[in-house]
């Protein structure tokens, strides 16, 4: 690693690990190359190379090739299903409980270490039961069974099983478990812990037990592995709050807006919010929790927790970058703190980060040191290598003496699991870039865009945050979603930053343009009004493309000078103004003129002109405007958005159908005639194109032998069939009909599973041929 700011101590540690791996690999290589079988099987190996690449890819996905650089993470137990803690029933459950298990600071056991080799010194927790006092033989009021639901071993307090709903977290020598009491439970209750220590010799060192930070005493386990306490349920009746938390005071002006995204992890989000509220601070702050497309059950749990926050619910997952863009535009604070729901702040984190941000106009963002739950260092600032790979300083170490560092030290980036930035600054940069949906590299790209503007990102030495890491992205329901995302987004990242990473010279920064933000703050007010609007509606995700350029051009055409009706872009679930502005810029359209609205918000407005886009002969909804246009991109016959009879009624409410070519017009009329006698006026409006003079783009007489295909990688809808293009190219090359030509496939990869699988299929098809993939290029590229 060529990072000058990394510590010598840690570099030596990493080099030693590399040398160990290289020595082992060289030994294996020598044994293989000297074997007779290796020499004899050379022809067969040449045929098996594509298969071996596929096997290697599957091993990486399954975690079979774990890097030796991986830190000693908390241990994952074998399981066949998630650990399910006591469910929250919003009708029956009324009081939460935070059960803390705290080991003595002098103990060299329990939660101090997390390596599997020390597992014999940990407390194995089997069950937590709550009974009425004096009635231990009855059915428990609460029963948490940590050995059930597929866990093959006793649930150890210091560990996590991957797909759990995260009802447990650890911080150094403390474990915390959240559970809920029924509203009808009595005040006096009996708490019983069932468990065992892995080493009977350490039984004398008993952990302390507390509920809602009220100490009950040490857990002295009996010979049958039980420890019991009597406690008052009144201790669990109130969710704690802080006078500095002004989230629910509409007239308040918080200094910091803390933005937390939740996706199917309500218990974890609950604990993160509680940790934030309990942390000391001298700053007024608000907490905005965005429920980012959680399932109905998980969304209901979060809503029923009645946390003192501003809770916003989206019906679709907008992922990390866009989710934060949406809530950043709603924030009232002058400063934003992005906080993962698996991150737990220490005292005065808000104050220390804000002081760092305010200490110099050349500081644009600030972040803390991250620790794993067992106290292992996770990240003390991060750097980026020339190849775009990220290097988290200190990852996996315990003996790094951070006290010798400056109070503030400049780094390439700090993970957005806890990152503070000025709101105005963030919006002027256009927020997180949509190129990095659904995750990875959006935070490092943001920090480098700040740096290109002359503002550094700093690590605050005396500021600590416990971070579980990947609690959502590694969950079972997201399995496969992030496959190859890091590598794919690294290539996208390098398209922008490759030259600067090579030289680290300001002259090699890419051009970073600012966005106007004056009207962004007015959008929230506009969204709540009832004034007339002109609207375009798309049922599809907003990514730069031909259909989106057509639709946004229509919206801008209705936003003429002097027109009192705002032009809005309506989607089922809202997007941010940041995204609309960035799309308009990438597509060569005027920005800062269009307002995003959710379909539910638009339903309460008076709509003058309305354009509805679709890919079938019928629209997915009726015309709510005075003048309605249905824009059919092409009448694909594979599916319909609604039942045909309902869709035909919807279609009849529009005045005209608009298509983009004569070919499409003829196809539409034939398709409509097959299913209905409905007569519609069908007009052709060709796609709007802004021609660029050759002098601007530098066209010369000398051209490269390149076949270029532009379009998103998706097998559905407007499929560009890059797979067929690749096969055709390979046949031409194999037949020696073309020579010295290369195929360039340029476009974005949507976040859905089918699209990512399709893109990876195309990559495999292209192996061994002069075929390049250019992902998510900007307009200049």
């Amino acid at each position: 690693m060529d990072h000058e700011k990394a510590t010598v101590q840690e570099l030596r540690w990493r080099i030693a690990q590399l040398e160990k791996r290289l020595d082992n690999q060289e030994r294996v290589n020598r044994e293989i190359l000297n074997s007779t079988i290796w020499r004899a099987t050379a022809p067969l190996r040449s045929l098996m190379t594509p298969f071996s690449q596929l096997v290697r890819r599957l091993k990486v996905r399954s975690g079979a090739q774990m890097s030796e650089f991986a830190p000693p993470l908390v241990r994952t137990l074998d399981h066949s299903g998630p650990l399910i803690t006591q469910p929250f029933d919003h009708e029956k459950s009324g009081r939460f409980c935070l059960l803390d298990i705290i080991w003595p600071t002098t103990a060299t056991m329990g939660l101090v270490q997390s390596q599997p080799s020390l597992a014999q010194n940990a407390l194995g927790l089997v069950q937590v039961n709550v009974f009425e006092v004096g009635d231990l033989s009855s059915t428990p009021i609460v029963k948490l069974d940590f050995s059930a639901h597929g866990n093959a071993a006793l649930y150890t307090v210091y560990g996590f099983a991957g797909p759990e709903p995260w009802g447990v977290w650890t911080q150094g020598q403390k474990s915390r478990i959240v559970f809920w009491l029924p509203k009808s439970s009595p005040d006096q209750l009996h708490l019983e812990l069932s468990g065992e220590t892995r080493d009977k010799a350490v039984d004398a060192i008993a952990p302390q037990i507390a509920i809602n930070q009220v100490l009950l005493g040490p857990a002295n386990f009996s010979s049958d592995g039980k420890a019991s306490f009597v406690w008052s349920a009144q201790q669990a009746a109130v969710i704690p709050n802080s006078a500095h938390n002004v989230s629910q005071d509409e007239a308040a002006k918080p200094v910091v807006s803390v933005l937390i995204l939740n996706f199917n992890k309500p218990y974890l989000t609950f604990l993160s919010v509680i940790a934030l509220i309990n942390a000391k601070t001298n700053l007024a702050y608000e907490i905005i929790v965005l429920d980012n497309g959680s399932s109905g059950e998980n969304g209901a749990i979060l809503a029923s927790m009645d946390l003192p926050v501003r809770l916003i619910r989206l019906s679709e997952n907008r992922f990390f970058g866009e989710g934060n863009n949406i809530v950043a535009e709603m924030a009232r604070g002058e400063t934003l703190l992005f906080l993962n729901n698996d991150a737990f702040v220490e005292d005065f984190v808000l104050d220390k980060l804000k002081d760092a941000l305010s200490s110099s106009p050349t500081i644009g963002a600030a972040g803390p040191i991250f620790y794993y739950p067992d106290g292992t260092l996770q990240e003390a600032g991060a750097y980026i290598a020339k190849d775009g790979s990220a290097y988290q300083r200190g990852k996996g170490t315990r003996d790094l003496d951070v006290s010798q560092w400056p109070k503030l030290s400049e780094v390439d980036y700090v993970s957005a699991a806890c990152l503070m930035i000025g709101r105005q600054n963030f919006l002027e940069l256009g927020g997180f870039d949509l190129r990095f949906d659904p995750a990875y590299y959006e935070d490092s790209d943001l920090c480098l865009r700040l740096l290109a503007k002359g503002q550094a990102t700093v690590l605050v030495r005396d500021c600590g945050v416990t971070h579980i890491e990947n609690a959502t992205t590694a969950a079972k329901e997201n399995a496969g979603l992030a496959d190859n995302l890091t590598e794919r987004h690294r290539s996208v990242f390098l398209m922008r930053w490759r030259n600067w990473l090579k030289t680290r010279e300001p002259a090699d920064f890419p051009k970073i343009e600012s966005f106007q933000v004056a009207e962004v703050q007015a959008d929230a007010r506009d969204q709540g009004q009832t004034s007339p609007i002109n609207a375009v509606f798309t049922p599809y995700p907003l990514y730069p493309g031909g259909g989106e350029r057509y639709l946004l051009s229509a919206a801008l055409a209705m936003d003429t000078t002097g027109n009192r009706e705002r032009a809005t872009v309506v989607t089922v679930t809202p997007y941010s103004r940041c995204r609309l502005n960035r799309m308009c810029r990438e597509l060569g359209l005027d920005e800062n003129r269009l307002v995003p609205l959710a379909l539910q918000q638009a339903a309460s407005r008076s709509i003058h002109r309305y354009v509805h886009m679709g890919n079938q002969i019928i629209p997915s909804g009726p015309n709510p405007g005075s003048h309605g246009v249905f824009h059919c991109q092409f009448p694909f016959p594979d599916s319909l958005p609604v039942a045909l009879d309902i869709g035909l009624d919807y279609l009849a409410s529009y005045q005209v159908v608009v298509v983009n070519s004569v070919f499409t017009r003829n196809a539409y009329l034939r398709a409509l005639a097959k299913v209905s006698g409905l007569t519609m006026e069908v007009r052709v409006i060709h796609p709007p194109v802004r021609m660029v003079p050759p002098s601007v783009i530098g066209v010369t007489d000398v051209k490269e032998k390149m076949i270029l295909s532009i379009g998103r990688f998706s097998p559905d809808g407007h499929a560009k069939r890059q797979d067929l293009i690749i096969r055709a190219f390979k046949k031409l090359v194999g037949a020696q009909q073309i020579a010295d030509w290369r195929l360039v496939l340029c476009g974005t990869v949507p976040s859905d599973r089918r699209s990512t699988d399709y893109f990876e299929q195309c990559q495999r098809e292209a192996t061994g041929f002069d075929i390049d993939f250019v992902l998510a290029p900007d307009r200049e590229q």
Side-chain angles (χ1 to χ4, degrees), residues 162-180:
E164 290 166 9
W166 297 89
V168 179
W169 72 286
T170 68
Q171 184 180 39
Q173 292 177 293
K174 177 190 291 185
S175 257
R176 174 165 284 180
I177 301 170
V178 60
F179 62 90
W180 305 87

Side-chain angles (χ1 to χ4, degrees), residues 232-244:
S232 173
Q234 292 178 348
Q235 298 166 358
V238 179
I239 292 179
N241 201 358
S242 165
H244 295 284

Side-chain angles (χ1 to χ4, degrees), residues 120-132:
Q120 68 274 11
N121 291 336
L123 169 69
L125 193 61
V126 182
Q127 286 185 353
V128 174
N129 294 316
V130 176
F131 301 91
E132 291 189 32

Side-chain angles (χ1 to χ4, degrees), residues 258-280:
V258 183
L259 314 181
I260 302 175
L261 305 189
N262 172 76
F263 179 64
N264 288 332
K265 293 289 179 287
Y267 291 96
L268 186 64
T269 301
F270 177 89
L271 292 173
S272 181
V273 170
I274 295 299
L276 176 63
I277 292 173
N278 284 333
K280 297 176 182 177

Side-chain angles (χ1 to χ4, degrees), residues 42 69 127 141 180 226 268 287 295 369 409 452 465 518 740 778:
F69 299 141
Q127 286 185 353
I141 298 174
W180 305 87
K226 295 188 186 310
L268 186 64
I287 307 170
S295 67
I369 296 178
S409 54
V465 167
D740 301 325
D778 60 26

Side-chain angles (χ1 to χ4, degrees), residues 99 123 125 127-131 136 190-196 206-209 216-231:
L99 171 63
L123 169 69
L125 193 61
Q127 286 185 353
V128 174
N129 294 316
V130 176
F131 301 91
L136 299 183
H190 192 108
L191 174 70
E192 181 185 77
L193 304 179
S194 299
E196 63 179 30
Q208 294 287 333
I209 305 299
L216 301 183
N220 295 309
F221 286 89
S222 61
S223 58
D224 61 351
K226 295 188 186 310
S228 299
F229 304 89
V230 175
W231 59 286

Side-chain angles (χ1 to χ4, degrees), residues 612-628:
H612 183 118
M613 185 169 76
N615 285 338
Q616 292 89 10
I617 59 172
I618 56 175
S620 58
N623 167 35
S626 303
H627 303 277

